[in-house]
Every structure is written in C-alpha cells, then in structure tokens.
C-alpha cells in the first residue's frame, strides 16, 4: 500500500501563487509517474500536470506557462508550483501516483485532496 499526503492548498487572490506538495510513503517499490488532477464543483475531474520518473512532464493547456510540476525521486515527492492563479483554477487538487510492484503490476493511488481557492 502507498499513502499520499498533500499540503499547500489555501486561499489566494487572483494573480497570486501557491505551491502544492505531495509525499508518498508506505511499501514503495517504484513510482512510475506522479501528478495532479483537480475537480471543481459540477465539473469533471481533469488532469492538471503529470511527471514521469525520468522527468518528462505534461500539462493541461489551461495551465501551461503558469504551473510547473517537479519531482524529488529520493523523497518520492511531487510539487506543483502555481503562478498567475485565476479564479477558474479554484478546485480541489488531488495528487496521484502510479506505483509498480516488483512483479510488474501497477496501481494508482490518490491523495485526500487539498482545496485551492482563488478570489477575484
């Protein structure tokens, strides 16, 4: 089992910045990819950004140029630096990790979610 603990959400004014962190712990063999999804009320959960173990990143078009994802493979921690925040970025942000066991099987794990609220 892998546990994910998020931190860093909060309330910020439009144009401001926040940094989210997510640390994985437990019976970890290899974490292939990590990243963040978000879900706003009445809207389907969407991918915000992801990063593989070799550092390849991908972003939602809506956050490109404003958000930066990074990862510390030693600490099994992923970060999301969010700049130039907009009210439409308001959502619950969920960290995920794709864990691979020594036998090759994979499983997705999710954090509990952290609220990000951007006021106009």
């Amino acid at each position: 089992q892998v546990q994910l603990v998020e931190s860093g959400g909060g309330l910020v004014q439009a144009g401001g910045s926040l940094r989210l962190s997510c640390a994985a712990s437990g019976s970890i063999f290899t974490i292939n990819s990590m990243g963040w999804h978000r879900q706003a009320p009445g809207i389907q959960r969407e991918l915000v950004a992801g990063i593989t173990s070799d550092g390849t990143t991908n972003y939602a078009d809506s956050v490109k140029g404003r958000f930066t994802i990074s990862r510390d493979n030693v600490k099994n921690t992923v970060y999301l630096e969010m700049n130039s925040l907009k009210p439409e970025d308001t959502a619950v942000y969920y960290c995920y990790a794709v864990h691979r066991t020594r036998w090759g099987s994979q499983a997705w794990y999710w954090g509990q979610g952290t609220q990000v609220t951007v006021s106009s």
Side-chain angles (χ1 to χ4, degrees), residues 6 26 30 32 43 64 67 71 79 91 100 106 109 120:
E6 302 155 347
T30 299
N32 288 339
I43 298 177
K64 284 180 181 177
F67 291 10
R71 175 174 172 173
Y79 307 95
R100 182 173 63 85
Q106 290 194 148
Y109 292 90
S120 57

Side-chain angles (χ1 to χ4, degrees), residues 75-118:
K75 296 181 178 179
N76 288 315
T77 299
V78 64
Y79 307 95
L80 186 67
E81 188 74 36
M82 304 185 293
N83 298 315
S84 302
L85 282 161
K86 304 175 180 180
E88 51 263 44
D89 294 317
T90 296
V92 177
Y93 284 68
Y94 296 92
C95 169
Y96 73 87
V98 181
H99 178 255
R100 182 173 63 85
T101 69
R102 66 183 68 242
W103 300 281
S105 62
Q106 290 194 148
W108 283 66
Y109 292 90
W110 294 90
Q112 77 282 4
T114 185
Q115 177 70 46
V116 171
T117 302
V118 184

Side-chain angles (χ1 to χ4, degrees), residues 36-84:
W36 300 86
H37 282 66
R38 67 185 179 187
Q39 186 162 24
I43 298 177
Q44 190 172 358
R45 186 179 293 195
E46 63 174 352
L47 172 70
V48 178
I51 184 168
T52 63
S53 56
D54 65 0
T56 301
T57 60
N58 64 295
Y59 296 92
D61 289 341
S62 59
V63 307
K64 284 180 181 177
R66 299 187 298 121
F67 291 10
T68 302
I69 190 169
S70 61
R71 175 174 172 173
D72 185 328
N73 289 331
V74 174
K75 296 181 178 179
N76 288 315
T77 299
V78 64
Y79 307 95
L80 186 67
E81 188 74 36
M82 304 185 293
N83 298 315
S84 302

Side-chain angles (χ1 to χ4, degrees), residues 6-27:
E6 302 155 347
S7 60
L11 172 64
V12 65
Q13 288 188 332
S17 299
L18 283 174
R19 188 185 193 224
L20 305 183
S21 300
C22 173
S25 62
S27 301

